[in-house]
């Protein structure tokens, strides 16, 4: 049904040549990346907003990761019917052609909107804006209704079933107290009838198409109630609305996952299919890792609600092609490479850096010239099987959250030494003493939580320091030194520790620094609970939260040993609100 356009091939060739030079990395690595559409195929369609430039420059990413596209601008009223009765489908047809050639669906965005719509729709016979007239006549309304219906008929007849779903009406609900936007010409001229006219016409033109109402912030309390009320009233009148499009222009902070999930369920309870239609997560003021965690939590929630969510569309391929500019809200960076946010949604049960290492590499081993002599994925390797000589290695680069352990015997048996990234690695010495190695992710959770605790004072309250409750504390007030020891109930490789001190308490004002915080103390480890070794000695501390990475060390037991409980000589009261130990289990 959709008319072929001749210029697409030539158009593609020109743009491809233009951008191949600038973004050859896009074509190089994409096929090795885990395909998002494959990962999510049993949950929902995975879509992306495209424009005629990104359709060429990002074609490989679009084809490899997505099975649905939305035209970012090319199917809006101003693009398709710029002047009355002059439809121009050329740009949009290129996109539909691309989708059909690559087995992708097309979401239509959007038939009726107050923006990106030429105002001839709303002018009377004397070229006056109808909504500015003192009186709007029945003739005026009939004229505008006909234009609205003709637009819907012209567009949907052209695309037919090639566009399986349409955002029939976009952003009709006000951000103020009323239901409808008072500034929408459609509403000003036709009242709330325009919604009924639009959806009924769309359904009449093609009853096969899924018809959506699409809006932003419909998951926010201030707008959700009025949107639900509007939809309920329309559905009660039998208006053919099939789905709710939640745009999903989110940020790293803002609405909680629970609030968004609650909104999704409330729209679904109207009997509506849910599409996340324009997702992006602005990261201004946050790190890429914080953005990744937000994406991970959102997709974890989407999967949980895939009984009602049937499509999730990202509003752009890469940050350089986002309407949100420097907020860098998307999965692919300005270099068109996957960001931590991409890796985070590859498997929402694992940290982004674990997923990334499993698909790319976890360790790079370099020689004295700085050249990479070897790359390793996570796993166990006998030195004899390596395709490089460990003796030449003088530097190790481990992916975040990973470590490399060298074992005296083959197959990760016998005594071991452990490393994270280091620039002074003596490969020759290690190669002489070891026969195998393991590259693994460091478990990121607190391994001291709720483990058996003992202490030289108030031993019966020592458990309060590892109960996960920031309010409770172990607080001896006698004669230092004080110690508290934790049995980790297994041998671990410690990589980080943190202690939350008196200043974190509500009584002390939850301040970042205080003289009431432990001043001189040490973290000690032991394999037998008798012989202790200092692994981090601290003097003159005033921080309320002391948090430090450790040179990897094996431990079964850990002990906090405090020699000066505050910076004030006369005050011997120690407050330990939480002692946290991070590491990874070592096979016993
Ligand atoms: O095509 C013209 C070009 O000829 C001109 O040289 C250039 C400079 O002015 O402007 C180009 O038009 C721009 C158009 O995007 C195409 O790039 C418009 O100025 C610009 O305003 C328009 O922005 C679009 C915006 O909607 C307009 O409201 C964004 O790309 C698009 O991502 C955004 O998408 C909307 C959804 O449709 C609805 N939900 C909100 C979402 C974000 O605003």
């Amino acid at each position: 049904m959709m008319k072929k356009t001749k210029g697409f091939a030539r158009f593609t060739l020109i743009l491809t040549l233009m951008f191949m030079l600038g973004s050859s990395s896009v074509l190089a690595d994409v096929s090795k990346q885990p395909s998002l559409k494959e990962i999510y195929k049993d949950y929902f369609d995975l879509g992306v907003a495209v424009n005629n430039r990104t359709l060429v420059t990002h074609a490989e990413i679009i084809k490899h990761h997505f099975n649905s596209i939305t035209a970012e601008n090319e199917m809006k009223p101003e693009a398709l019917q710029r002047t009355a009765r002059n439809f121009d489908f050329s740009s949009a047809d290129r996109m539909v052609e691309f989708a059909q050639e690559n087995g992708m669906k097309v979401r239509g965005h959007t038939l009726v909107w107050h923006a990106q719509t030429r105002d001839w729709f709303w002018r009377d016979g004397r070229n006056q804006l109808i909504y500015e007239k003192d009186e709007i006549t029945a003739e005026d309304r009939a004229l505008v209704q006909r234009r609205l219906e003709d637009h819907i008929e012209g567009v949907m007849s052209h695309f037919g079933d090639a566009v399986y779903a349409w955002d029939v009406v976009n952003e009709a609900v006000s951000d103020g107290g009323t239901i409808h936007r008072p500034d929408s010409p459609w509403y000003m001229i036709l009242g709330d009838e325009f919604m009924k006219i639009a959806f009924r016409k769309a359904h009449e033109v093609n009853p096969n198409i899924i018809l959506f109402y699409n809006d932003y912030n419909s998951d926010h309390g201030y707008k959700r109630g009025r949107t639900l009320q509007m939809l309920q009233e329309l559905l009660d009148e039998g208006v053919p609305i099939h789905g709710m499009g939640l745009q999903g222009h989110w940020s790293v902070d803002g609405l909680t996952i629970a609030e968004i999930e609650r909104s999704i369920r409330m729209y679904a309870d109207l009997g509506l299919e849910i599409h996340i239609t324009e997702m992006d997560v602005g990261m201004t003021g946050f790190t890429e890792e914080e953005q990744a965690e937000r994406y991970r939590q959102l997709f974890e929630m989407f999967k949980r609600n895939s009984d009602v969510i049937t499509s999730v569309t990202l509003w752009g391929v890469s940050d350089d092609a986002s309407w949100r500019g420097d907020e860098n809200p998307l999965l692919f960076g300005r270099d068109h490479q996957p960001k931590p946010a991409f890796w985070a949604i590859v498997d929402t049960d694992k940290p982004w850096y674990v997923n990334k290492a499993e698909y790319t590499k976890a360790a790079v081993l370099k020689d004295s010239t700085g050249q990479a002599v070897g790359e390793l994925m996570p796993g166990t390797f006998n030195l004899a099987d390596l395709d490089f000589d460990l003796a030449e290695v003088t530097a190790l680069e481990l992916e975040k959250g990973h470590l490399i352990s060298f074992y005296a015997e083959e197959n990760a048996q016998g005594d071991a030494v452990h490393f994270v990234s280091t620039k002074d690695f003596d490969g020759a010495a290690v190669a002489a003493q070891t026969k195998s190695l393991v590259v693994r992710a460091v478990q990121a959770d607190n391994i001291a939580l709720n483990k058996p605790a003992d202490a030289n004072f108030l031993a019966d309250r020592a458990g309060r320091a590892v109960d996960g409750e920031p309010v409770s504390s172990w607080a001896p007030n006698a004669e230092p030194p004080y110690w508290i020891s934790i049995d980790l109930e297994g041998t671990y490789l410690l990589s980080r520790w943190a202690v939350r001190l008196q200043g974190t308490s509500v009584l002390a004002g939850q301040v970042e620094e205080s003289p009431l915080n432990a001043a001189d103390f040490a973290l000690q480890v032991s394999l037998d609970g008798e012989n202790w070794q200092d692994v981090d000695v601290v003097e003159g501390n005033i921080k309320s939260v002391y948090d430090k990475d450790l040179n990897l060390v094996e431990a079964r037991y850990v002990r906090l040993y405090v020699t000066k409980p505050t910076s004030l000589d006369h005050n011997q009261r120690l407050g330990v609100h939480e002692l946290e130990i991070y590491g990874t289990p070592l096979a016993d």
Side-chain angles (χ1 to χ4, degrees):
M1 191 69 153
M2 196 257 308
K3 302 175 187 66
K4 286 273 178 190
T5 51
K6 299 185 182 62
F8 185 53
R10 184 166 17 88
F11 174 86
T12 304
L13 176 65
I14 294 165
L15 272 175
T16 301
L17 290 174
M18 278 167 60
F19 288 97
M20 277 292 279
L21 302 174
S23 52
S24 55
S25 63
V26 172
L27 302 182
D29 307 335
V30 173
S31 59
K32 285 189 286 188
Q33 296 162 6
S35 166
L36 294 177
K37 68 182 178 185
E38 288 307 310
I39 291 167
Y40 286 94
K41 69 179 185 308
D42 296 333
Y43 292 101
F44 34 72
D45 291 333
L46 205 65
V48 66
V50 297
N51 57 50
N52 277 308
R53 185 176 65 83
T54 56
L55 208 59
V56 178
T57 57
H58 296 59
E60 293 312 304
I61 297 178
I62 295 166
K63 288 187 284 191
H64 185 68
H65 290 296
F66 300 100
N67 49 27
S68 171
I69 59 171
T70 301
E72 185 175 10
N73 291 292
E74 292 73 7
M75 289 192 182
K76 292 173 178 174
E78 76 174 3
L80 296 182
Q81 198 179 179
R82 209 173 184 78
T83 55
R85 290 176 299 288
N86 295 319
F87 285 101
D88 173 5
F89 296 109
S90 55
S91 281
D93 284 348
R94 278 200 288 274
M95 295 184 175
V96 174
E97 203 170 292
F98 175 91
Q100 290 176 329
E101 284 166 1
N102 294 291
M104 303 171 82
K105 293 180 176 179
V106 180
R107 284 196 89 261
H109 173 78
T110 176
L111 294 172
V112 182
W113 192 14
H114 61 276
Q116 289 187 270
T117 302
R118 294 284 157 153
D119 67 12
W120 64 264
F121 276 96
W122 310 305
R123 288 184 179 277
D124 66 9
R126 289 191 297 280
N127 204 30
Q128 197 177 358
L129 285 169
I130 292 168
Y131 55 80
E132 287 179 350
K133 289 162 69 169
D134 296 337
E135 187 206 354
I136 297 176
T137 65
E139 187 189 357
D140 290 331
R141 274 190 276 278
L143 175 63
V144 168
Q145 175 170 342
R146 191 169 63 250
R147 288 167 176 167
L148 172 59
E149 291 180 329
D150 287 351
H151 180 74
I152 291 171
E153 175 143 28
V155 171
M156 291 184 70
S157 303
H158 174 80
F159 292 111
D161 293 353
V163 176
Y164 83 103
W166 272 100
D167 292 337
V168 175
V169 173
N170 187 49
E171 302 176 13
V173 176
S174 84
D175 285 316
T178 59
I179 287 192
H180 286 88
R181 294 182 71 105
D183 64 343
S184 162
W186 297 115
Y187 177 68
M188 287 192 272
I189 297 167
L190 298 172
D192 60 6
E193 280 302 305
F194 88 91
M195 298 273 293
K196 302 172 196 171
I197 294 163
F199 279 96
R200 283 175 174 144
K201 188 63 184 176
H203 189 59
E204 175 200 310
V205 172
N206 189 337
N208 303 334
I209 306 304
I210 313 173
L211 306 179
F212 281 80
Y213 172 69
N214 188 54
D215 209 338
Y216 63 88
N217 288 0
S218 311
D219 44 6
H220 285 252
Y222 84 90
K223 197 166 183 178
R224 180 176 59 207
R226 289 178 286 118
T227 306
L228 287 164
Q229 179 189 340
M230 177 189 77
L231 293 169
Q232 185 66 73
E233 287 169 4
L234 291 167
L235 290 166
D236 288 348
E237 283 190 52
V239 176
I241 301 175
H242 310 128
M244 175 67 198
L246 293 168
Q247 291 185 4
H249 293 302
W250 292 306
S251 296
V252 173
D253 58 357
L255 281 185
T256 64
I257 298 296
E259 195 59 28
I260 297 169
E261 184 167 25
R262 188 159 159 261
S263 298
I264 286 169
R265 295 315 307 188
M266 291 169 89
Y267 288 106
D269 287 349
L270 294 181
L272 296 174
E273 190 171 332
I274 305 297
H275 280 190
I276 307 298
T277 54
E278 308 180 11
M279 180 178 184
D280 45 30
V281 177
M283 57 172 275
T284 304
F286 294 93
T287 64
E288 281 196 336
E289 292 197 48
E290 289 165 320
Q291 181 189 49
E293 178 54 13
R294 179 72 158 169
Y295 263 103
R296 190 194 66 74
Q297 290 176 9
L298 284 162
F299 269 81
E300 190 177 53
M301 183 268 288
F302 295 159
K303 290 189 322 190
R304 204 166 47 234
N305 293 277
S306 58
D307 57 318
V308 294
I309 297 175
T310 53
S311 172
V312 175
T313 291
L314 280 297
W315 202 243
V317 187
S318 56
D319 287 338
D320 56 319
S322 168
W323 73 288
R324 291 178 72 170
D326 58 3
E327 290 187 68
N328 297 320
L330 296 170
L331 300 176
F332 293 85
R334 294 177 177 278
D335 60 359
H336 303 178
Q337 294 307 307
K339 293 160 62 177
F342 168 90
W343 293 110
I345 67 171
V346 163
D347 181 344
T348 56
D349 293 336
K350 293 190 286 193
W352 69 270
Y353 49 80
V354 173
N355 294 330
K356 180 179 178 184
E358 287 173 357
Y359 284 96
T360 56
K361 62 185 176 309
V364 177
L365 299 90
K366 296 186 171 182
D367 66 16
S368 55
T369 68
Q371 289 302 311
V373 294
E375 283 191 0
L376 294 172
M377 305 282 275
T380 299
F381 308 87
N382 290 325
L383 268 56
D385 302 332
L386 294 177
D387 61 3
F388 60 87
D389 180 359
L390 184 63
E392 288 177 23
V393 175
T394 59
L396 304 172
E397 283 177 10
L398 277 293
E399 178 69 39
K400 172 184 169 65
H402 284 76
L403 59 86
I404 189 167
S405 306
F406 295 89
Y407 290 82
E409 306 307 325
E410 290 195 335
N411 306 317
Q413 300 300 315
D415 289 344
V417 286
H418 313 278
F419 298 87
V420 287
S421 292
T422 170
K423 293 206 182 316
D424 55 358
F425 175 74
D426 185 348
V430 172
Q433 301 159 16
T434 58
K435 290 192 173 65
S436 64
L437 65 86
V438 174
V439 178
R440 76 183 101 200
V442 174
Q443 210 164 327
D445 46 11
N446 172 13
I447 53 181
L449 191 60
N450 299 322
K451 296 287 175 71
D454 191 7
N456 65 339
F457 288 98
L458 301 180
D460 60 327
R461 297 184 190 173
R464 297 182 182 182
V466 288
D467 61 3
E469 292 296 332
V471 173
S472 66
S473 67
W474 169 66
N477 187 5
E479 190 63 34
Y482 307 127
W483 58 257
I484 179 171
S485 65
I486 311 297
D487 176 356
L488 300 174
E489 295 183 317
T491 307
Y492 288 83
L493 199 59
L494 308 191
S495 54
R496 176 183 150 226
W497 78 295
V499 60
R500 298 174 189 284
L501 298 162
Q502 187 55 20
T504 62
S505 76
V506 175
L507 292 176
Q510 295 176 311
V511 290
E512 285 194 12
E513 297 180 348
S514 163
L516 297 176
N517 291 324
D520 299 352
F521 53 89
L523 180 73
Q524 302 173 326
V525 297
S526 168
L527 291 172
D528 58 12
E530 299 296 328
N531 302 295
W532 296 95
Q533 162 199 349
D534 284 350
V535 292
D536 189 10
V537 177
V538 183
E539 289 177 352
N541 173 64
I542 57 171
K543 281 183 175 298
S544 301
V545 178
Y546 179 84
D547 187 335
K548 185 87 176 310
D549 285 343
L550 294 167
N551 287 325
L552 297 168
V553 61
E554 286 189 34
R556 160 70 193 250
Y557 304 88
V558 295
R559 184 165 78 171
L560 173 62
Y561 194 88
V562 181
T563 49
K564 194 163 185 239
T566 72
S567 304
L568 309 168
D569 291 342
H570 62 280
N571 185 331
Q572 303 290 28
R573 185 179 188 283
L574 170 67
V576 177
H577 286 256
E578 200 67 22
L579 174 60
E580 298 167 2
I581 304 293
Y582 295 88
T584 198
L586 290 177
D588 284 337

